[in-house]
Amino acid sequence: MRMTPSLLHALVLCAGLTLGGAACAEDAAPVAMDPALHAQLPDKVKTQGVINLVTDAHYPPCEVFADDNKTMVGFEPDLWNAIGKVLGVGINPVSIDFAGLIPGVKSGRYDMAMECISDSLEREKQVTFVNYAYATNEVYTLASNKSIVNDPLSLCGLKVGVQSGTDFEHAISDIFSPNCTKNNKPAIKVTTLPSADAVLLALYAGRIDFVLNDAAAAAEIKKVAPRPIRTVTMPLMPKYYLGIVVRPDNQQLAQALLGALKVLWSNGEYARIMKKWDLEPVMLEQPGINLFTTRPMQ
C-alpha cells in the first residue's frame, strides 16, 4: 500500500523534500570521510564503491517512500546515508518484504539490512548485529475498543495481527499467550500477515482486535489512520536493541559500520538525526556488536 500524502508530508518535512519547518533539527556540519575506516571495508565494497542495502520501506518513522515512490525517508535513511559518508561509499537501498531481509543478507545478495530489525538470540545465531538504538513496543487498538487496558490479561482470547518474520510473533507466542494460559484464560488468536500495512488494514477493518507495533511509530500512524486508534502501554512488553544486519563472516564490514557509528556518536550527527525524528527516548548510549548477548538488558 502506498503511504497517504499526509503521512508522507509529515515524514519528509525535515528531509527537505517539502517545505521545511521550525520542528526540524538544525543541520550539523558536513560529515567527512574517514580514510582509515574506508580502508577497513571489504575489497568488494571498496571496488564497487557502494554498499547494497535491503529494507522494507513501509514502516515509519524507520523508513517509507516519499511522494515520488522512489526516495526513502525516515531516520534510518538519514543514518545509513551518514554512515556512507563516513565510509566514503554510496548506499544502494532496495525495498522487499520484511521476511526476506535476513535471508537476503545470509545469501550474500545484499551486504546489509536495516528496517528497525530487533536483535535477538535466535537472530544472532544467523547474522551479526551492529546495534544503534533501542525499541519499545505498544498495543495498538481501535479507540472504540475499551476492553483492552494495561493489564496483559485483557488481551486473552482476542485476535491479534502480526507481520510475518517479526519479533511481534514471538512476543505473542512466548510471552502474552503463555501468560493467559497460566492464568486459566484463553490464548490469543494469531493472524499472520505479510506486511505492516496489511496488519494495520486488518485492524482498521475490524478483522483483528489489536496489533503490536513500535511505540515510536504511534504518532505518525495515528495521523493517517482511517479510524481513530489508541495505544496501550503493556507490562510484559519486551524492550529490544535495533541493529544493522550483516553476515557473520563479514566482520570487516561489521567493524567498519561500528567505527562509522562511533564517529556519528562523537560528532553529534547521531543525536541530530534522532532529535530530528523525535526519537531521543530510544537513543543508544554507545553502538555495539550483538548487544543482546554482549550487553544484556537488565
Side-chain angles (χ1 to χ4, degrees), residues 46-75:
K46 286 186 287 188
T47 299
Q48 64 193 16
V50 67
I51 295 174
N52 291 312
L53 179 149
V54 65
T55 188
D56 179 1
H58 299 89
Y59 196 59
C62 304
E63 54 273 301
V64 294
F65 284 109
D67 286 321
D68 61 7
N69 211 30
K70 295 180 181 178
T71 306
M72 297 181 195
V73 295
F75 92 89

Side-chain angles (χ1 to χ4, degrees), residues 88-102:
V89 294
I91 305 293
N92 178 37
V94 298
S95 180
I96 65 173
D97 288 342
F98 183 89
L101 300 187
I102 289 178

